[in-house]
Each structure stands twice: as C-alpha cells, then as structure tokens.
Amino acid sequence: MKTKLTAFLLAALLLLSLGSCGAPVAGSSEEDGVLTIAATTYPIYEFATYVAGGMDGIEIELVVDQQISCLHDYTLTVDDMRTLERADVILINGAGLEAFMEDALATVDVPIIDCSEGIELLPYAGHEDHDHSGGEDESDHYDPHIWMDPNRAIVMMENIARGLAAVDDTYTESDYMSHLMMPSANISKMASNWQARFDALPEEQKYLITFHDGFAYLADAFDLTLLKSIEEEAGSEASAKDITEIVGMVREYGLPVIFVEENGSDATAKAIQRETGVEIGTLSMIMSDGPSYLDAMEQNLQTIYSGLTGEELSADAQ
C-alpha cells in the first residue's frame, strides 16, 4: 500500500521543504514488511499504542505532533503531510475533528479508520435542536471531543483494534484486542471509581463552567451539569454579555470554581475571579504528549472533584 497525494499537495511539499528534493519516501508495508499507522491526533496516537504498540512489524506515527489546545485553526505542516504520505493506514478521531485536513485525507489511497464509529455523539452547544435536513455537513453539529469520556474512549480503542485487524494480514482481531485488555480494564476501573464519588455528591455540587468547548463528554460521563462552555482563545476573549452571564451564574449557583484548559486562554476567567472571588481550576484536553491518558483523566477528575467540594482525595483513596 502507498499513499498518493494530489499533485497540489506534492508541489506544496517540495516548495515548502528546504533541501528535501530527491529525498526518498519511506516504503509501505508491502515493500518493507512494516505496517505504518498514522494517528491524526495525540489521543488517537496513545490509543493506537495501547492496541498495537510493541507489536512486530508495526510502526505508529503521530500526525499533529505539537503542544496544542484545540484544532479549530490548525493548518497542516509539511511534516504532517509527509506523515500522511508514508502511512499504510490512517486513524482519525472522526465526528468532524479532522475537518482541517479534509482535503488531504480525500487524496489518500489507504484505509482510514474512523474511531467515532458507532459512538453516540453529543450536539455542539447551540445545535441541540437544529434541523439537520438542510444539506449542511452533519459533523459540523456534533461535538468531536469524544475521548474525554473514558467509556467512549474504550469504544474508540476497540474500533482501532477491529479496524486494524480488517486491513492487516499478520495480526487478528483477537491479537489486537488482547493488547487492549489491560489498559481498557484500568480505564474502566478509574471511571467507575470516580462515577461513585460524583454520584454521592448532592446535585447542587455538580455544576460546571468551562472556558473550553471540549468538556461536554466528560460532564456527560459523570452526570455533571455543564452550565456554560465558552471556546476562548488568546486575542478573542469572551464578550461583555458572556462575562455578565457567567458572573450571574457563579453567584446564582454559588460556584466555588470555574475551569480553564491548560493550553488555552484564562483572561476572562481571571476577570470573573476578580469580580466574584471564584477559584480557577485547570483541566487538560490531553491533546499533547505528557501524562498517560489514564493519569491525565485521573488528574482532571481530581481537579473537578476538589474544586467542587474542597476535598482533596489522598493517593490511597484514589
């Protein structure tokens, strides 16, 4: 198998790459006996390593390999396109997250595994009652941050295992699923433990306000109520209307904490903190290399729980 980019993308590669003319392109699995898997984003890359990491004849590469909060305004780099070009199979998050590389993906001639297949998607805020019969792209109306729900994340991993088995002549679905057993069990146990803790809280302690639009699945997974979610980036802070609304919510619900994303802007959150005295908690979207998915989710849930209750759980309790 070998990826075939359009003449346009190849030309872009040659123009933008310094000193790369004549450089050889990595061979496909048919040529070198290696199945090269390209994962579009870091969560998918980590899930792929759970499923296929360390298996002979398999290489897993990350396409978007940068410290990043979200992909709303991301543009593929030359290195990103090279990673797509040498892949034998591509793993995508799906649900519209890869809209920024839609043109590039449309040109590849290799299997693409959609990790969102069969997963119940949540509508983006503002699209809950939207009539989808108007010819617009369905994916534009759904929240793609599905990995933020541990249980949905396990389904994504299972989709990877089944998808790889379908295109791989060496390993079976059972081989891939056996690799997934331990990480899946650990993630499931972590989610169950935190579910029990959040279930024990009174309803008035389950309200969240976040300054990133990627935490709806996390809230949904643990039966928390997301009062307001604002996508805020540096230079495009929330409007005066939004600030007034959030200040009112903080006071109405007696919120002890609001949450920002670790690589995002906290300008408006700090303004609201000055106005109300509310604390600010920092959560991770797990979009860049760092703690494992399990550890990052554990830290997110600890941050939320501690912020809502004022109770810091000990390591033994976790």
Side-chain angles (χ1 to χ4, degrees), residues 9-188:
L9 288 175
L10 285 172
L13 271 172
L14 293 173
L15 288 171
L16 294 173
S17 301
L18 296 176
S20 65
C21 293
V25 177
S28 72
S29 61
E30 291 181 350
E31 297 170 347
D32 59 12
V34 174
L35 180 69
T36 302
I37 302 168
T40 54
T41 62
Y42 189 79
I44 303 305
Y45 172 81
E46 185 168 354
F47 295 164
T49 63
Y50 290 159
V51 174
M55 298 174 77
D56 290 340
I58 291 181
E59 291 182 357
I60 306 169
E61 298 186 351
L62 174 60
V63 178
V64 180
D65 188 9
Q66 298 184 32
Q67 292 291 320
I68 194 167
S69 169
C70 62
L71 298 170
H72 296 290
D73 299 314
Y74 189 80
T75 301
L76 284 173
T77 68
V78 171
D79 285 342
D80 297 340
M81 290 191 288
R82 282 193 179 125
T83 301
L84 290 173
E85 197 280 331
R86 61 177 171 258
D88 300 311
V89 59
I90 298 172
L91 308 180
I92 67 171
N93 178 89
L97 187 71
E98 286 86 1
F100 67 97
M101 63 171 72
E102 199 170 80
D103 291 341
L105 290 175
T107 68
V108 301
D109 190 23
V110 298
I112 297 176
I113 298 171
D114 185 341
C115 297
S116 70
E117 189 71 31
I119 294 177
E120 181 182 359
L121 301 177
L122 298 177
Y124 250 138
H127 287 290
E128 294 88 344
D129 301 317
H130 189 87
D131 180 2
H132 295 170
S133 62
E136 296 175 312
D137 188 342
E138 287 283 310
S139 65
D140 292 341
H141 304 296
Y142 291 103
D143 187 334
H145 304 92
I146 48 180
W147 69 90
M148 295 303 292
D149 173 356
N151 295 310
R152 284 178 170 96
I154 291 171
V155 178
M156 296 174 78
M157 297 175 210
E158 293 171 347
N159 283 340
I160 292 172
R162 283 189 288 268
L164 290 178
V167 302
D168 184 8
D169 296 330
T170 303
Y171 296 107
T172 66
E173 183 174 327
S174 178
D175 294 327
Y176 286 117
M177 286 293 189
S178 67
H179 265 231
L180 185 54
M181 287 179 64
M182 184 65 73
S184 177
N186 289 338
I187 291 169
S188 182

Side-chain angles (χ1 to χ4, degrees), residues 209-211 232 237-238 243 246-247 250 257-262 264-282:
I209 290 177
T210 65
F211 285 85
E232 181 182 54
E237 284 72 30
I243 293 173
I246 294 170
V247 166
V250 168
V257 63
I258 54 179
F259 298 95
V260 298
E261 203 278 328
E262 63 181 358
S265 172
D266 63 356
T268 302
K270 286 184 175 178
I272 291 168
Q273 182 182 52
R274 290 191 293 270
E275 182 75 17
T276 64
V278 70
E279 296 294 326
I280 298 175
T282 302

